Each structure stands twice: as structure tokens, then as C-alpha cells.
Amino acid sequence: MSEICNIGNSATSVLLAYPAPTPAQSADFFLAKLHYHADAWDVAEDLRARVADIVVIDTRSEALYAAGHVPGAIGIPHRLMDEASTAQLDRSKTYVTYCDGIGCNGSTKGAYKLARLGFKVKEMLGGLDFWIRDGWPVATGAEVGEMPAEGQAIECGCA
């Protein structure tokens, strides 16, 4: 038989079995999350504004990169990340990794490897899947491509 949910009475709360943190603890936690993560909109806005301090890295295979990637992103598959493959990267910049989406941990693996190699790094939540869902353009082929600048029309490709 199913359990009956008693709302508004003295029933024991499953949710509150682990009490909520204090507001100060919550603020610290959510601030920490913002240090580690970015969403597609944040990345797109910085690419459109031509922010020079960030570099977006597609951590998927070369074939998937060529099939479609964030305009302006460079491709370095996480499996190939090491001292040699990252030697040309500027350590003063912040790197934003992404992969296919929430079912893929390639961006996490890439971010971990970059951090271990001494780079500042964030992970783009939702990967290319959320990028596309948000309506941002996708570049194809081996070329990096370029995100349309602020004020330029963005073609969605769904003519």
C-alpha cells in the first residue's frame, strides 16, 4: 500500500530529516557553485562581448566537435589533455569546459585535468545540449568559428 502524505500536521518530514543549512551556509555554498559553474547564457554573453579573459573548450572527440560546437570554442578532447596538448594555453585565462550535456562527464574530466595542470577552470552546465536548447548558434567543421557579436542577428538555422 502507498503511504499517505500528511501535510500541515505533526507527521515526520522526510525532507527535514536533514535540516536546511543556515542562510549564511547557503550563501557560502551557492557562491562556491558560481565559482565552479557557468550556464550557457553566461558563456554566450561573454563570447558575444568578446571577453578576452575566457577560453571555451569542447572536451568531446574531434568528430563530435566538427559535427557542431560552441562558436569560438577550441577542441581538446579530455582523453588527450596533458602537459603537451595544453602547452599552448595561456595560464592567465579562465577556461570553460563543456561536453554533450548532463549525461556526459567529459567536461568534468576535462576541468579536473586542466585544474591539475594548473589552469583556472569552470564547467558549463548542460553542455552543448543546453546551449542548443537556449537557442544559441552552433559552428560546424574543424574551424573554431566566431560567436556573433552583441547587436548582430543570430540565425537559428531552423528555416
Side-chain angles (χ1 to χ4, degrees):
M1 298 207 136
S2 65
E3 293 184 27
I4 297 174
C5 181
N6 295 315
I7 298 176
N9 65 19
S10 62
T12 302
S13 169
V14 175
L15 185 135
L16 296 177
Y18 301 95
T22 66
Q25 290 170 319
S26 291
D28 289 343
F29 173 78
F30 292 118
L31 177 60
K33 284 182 69 171
L34 292 170
H35 284 290
Y36 295 101
H37 298 117
D39 66 11
W41 187 88
D42 293 340
V43 173
E45 286 300 302
D46 277 3
L47 288 173
R48 288 172 59 119
R50 307 288 190 253
V51 173
D53 294 333
I54 67 160
V55 176
V56 180
I57 298 180
D58 186 317
T59 64
R60 303 171 306 145
S61 70
E62 291 176 5
L64 288 175
Y65 177 87
H69 59 271
V70 170
I74 61 173
I76 306 176
H78 71 85
R79 287 184 173 90
L80 304 178
M81 285 183 183
D82 58 19
E83 285 284 343
S85 66
T86 61
Q88 79 286 1
L89 299 180
D90 181 345
R91 291 181 187 273
S92 71
K93 297 188 183 289
T94 296
Y95 293 87
V96 180
T97 62
Y98 75 89
C99 57
D100 282 329
I102 62 173
C104 175
N105 66 3
S107 60
T108 304
K109 290 176 180 178
Y112 171 73
K113 288 180 178 181
L114 289 171
R116 292 287 307 232
L117 292 166
F119 294 96
K120 295 178 291 185
V121 64
K122 290 187 174 206
E123 185 176 21
M124 186 173 82
L125 299 171
L128 191 61
D129 178 34
F130 282 18
W131 179 269
I132 292 169
R133 286 184 193 200
D134 284 353
W136 297 111
V138 173
T140 57
E143 296 298 317
V144 172
E146 187 173 274
M147 184 71 172
E150 290 180 271
Q152 287 183 310
I154 297 177
E155 294 183 30
C156 69
C158 54

